[in-house]
Amino acid sequence: MSTTLKPARPATPTSPRRLGPVALGLRQGRLEITQFLRSRESVVFTLGFPVIMIVIFASIFDGEIAPGVSFTQYFVTGMIATGLMTVSFQNLGIWIPIERDRGVLKRYRGTPMPKWVYFAGKVILVVVIGVAETALLLAVSAALFGLELPGTAAKWLTFGWVSALGITACTLCGIAISSLARSSRSGSAVVTPVALVLQFISGVFFVFTQLPSWMQQVAALFPLKWMCQGLRSVFLPDAFGAQEPGGSFELGRVALVLAAWCVIGLLLCLGTFRWTTKRDG
């Protein structure tokens, strides 16, 4: 009995499955987070700096700045705001020039990957770090210094939209300012002084109304001051709003200014961002 062997069919090559936009962004975000976690110094400094600062300041200044308002309550609002600014504006303004100088951005531009995926990864990284840093800061402040967390849904909602608008504006401005650095070494020199000045004049380390009026006016031009003011409405009593420069927390103006800076930051990004260094042409 003979059997006839049928010729084997040639294997058809399987084309790689295309990822959708969401999957592409999430994969790039996962890559950015993995790279961040591999740098232990960056992890410790980024997450630990606000906690160290709140421990130092809360231990030194143990009094009240107003009836029923401790210095810790006031100071933690500024540290949340400056922490969000650090992980977005400051870190991106330093990291992106390093990647540009090493040719990472040039290689990204030469791949079929859509350009927006690179920025999506940065945004995911900023959001994840910002949430982790803020949660750690609130946990330490509540456990060690008796910080009262918001007790109503409305307060948490305000906390959410102020943080979201603020970190969006700072992220876009961080991407934009990264183009001012001529090399990887100059990124920190360009961004860090700007961040420090804004912290000192925006009510992060001092009570805002105790600063000279000209400092208050300059700070009002930038988003950090409004982030701090919006967060004070969350963690401080409603009556404290009367001590703000405008006589209230002015949440409508906070939203307007932060939204305006989101638009300004986006326009600056579109007009200034560079994928290569000047020596690459």
Side-chain angles (χ1 to χ4, degrees):
M1 185 176 182
S2 62
T3 57
T4 303
L5 297 178
K6 296 181 178 180
R9 293 182 178 178
T12 56
T14 58
S15 59
R17 181 173 60 89
R18 287 189 176 182
L19 297 177
V22 175
L24 279 174
L26 291 176
R27 187 175 66 173
Q28 184 68 18
R30 184 170 64 250
L31 174 63
E32 294 283 353
I33 294 171
T34 301
Q35 291 176 339
F36 170 76
L37 294 177
R38 287 175 179 172
S39 177
R40 296 182 180 179
E41 297 83 359
S42 296
V43 174
V44 172
F45 179 80
T46 302
L47 298 181
F49 177 75
V51 174
I52 294 172
M53 294 300 293
I54 194 69
V55 170
I56 292 175
F57 273 77
S59 300
I60 296 175
F61 302 99
D62 197 22
E64 293 186 343
I65 62 172
V69 179
S70 66
F71 183 84
T72 304
Q73 281 180 284
Y74 190 95
F75 184 66
V76 74
T77 59
M79 286 314 303
I80 293 173
T82 198
L84 295 176
M85 185 188 73
T86 299
V87 302
S88 52
F89 174 79
Q90 189 168 349
N91 284 357
L92 292 182
I94 295 173
W95 292 343
I96 292 177
I98 294 175
E99 294 180 347
R100 183 185 293 118
D101 206 37
R102 292 177 177 174
V104 175
L105 299 188
K106 186 178 180 180
R107 291 194 294 271
Y108 269 128
R109 193 177 66 167
T111 66
M113 183 185 75
K115 294 180 177 64
W116 65 264
V117 175
Y118 171 77
F119 299 105
K122 294 298 185 187
V123 170
I124 292 173
L125 172 65
V126 166
V127 171
V128 170
I129 300 175
V131 170
E133 180 186 64
T134 302
L136 180 61
L137 180 61
L138 291 178
V140 171
S141 301
L144 299 183
F145 303 105
L147 175 70
E148 295 184 8
L149 298 178
T152 64
K155 293 280 189 180
W156 282 111
L157 179 62
T158 301
F159 179 78
W161 69 256
V162 170
S163 300
L165 283 177
I167 202 170
T168 300
C170 290
T171 297
L172 292 169
C173 290
I175 295 172
I177 201 173
S178 69
S179 296
L180 293 180
R182 296 185 177 182
S183 67
S184 58
R185 296 181 179 180
S186 61
S188 179
V190 170
V191 179
T192 302
V194 176
L196 284 176
V197 169
L198 288 177
Q199 290 172 33
F200 276 101
I201 69 174
S202 299
V204 173
F205 301 116
F206 308 100
V207 178
F208 185 73
T209 51
Q210 294 179 1
L211 297 173
S213 59
W214 68 267
M215 283 190 184
Q216 296 182 33
Q217 294 171 6
V218 173
L221 300 175
F222 300 98
L224 183 58
K225 180 263 183 186
W226 299 99
M227 292 168 64
C228 293
Q229 183 168 313
L231 292 174
R232 286 197 291 270
S233 74
V234 175
F235 291 93
L236 303 186
D238 294 337
F240 190 85
Q243 302 191 33
E244 295 288 343
S248 68
F249 289 119
E250 300 180 292
L251 289 180
R253 180 173 292 182
V254 170
L256 182 62
V257 173
L258 292 180
W261 267 104
C262 290
V263 176
I264 294 171
L266 179 59
L267 294 176
L268 290 174
C269 287
L270 295 175
T272 64
F273 187 79
R274 295 183 289 109
W275 291 90
T276 58
T277 60
K278 291 185 177 179
R279 65 175 180 270
D280 293 329

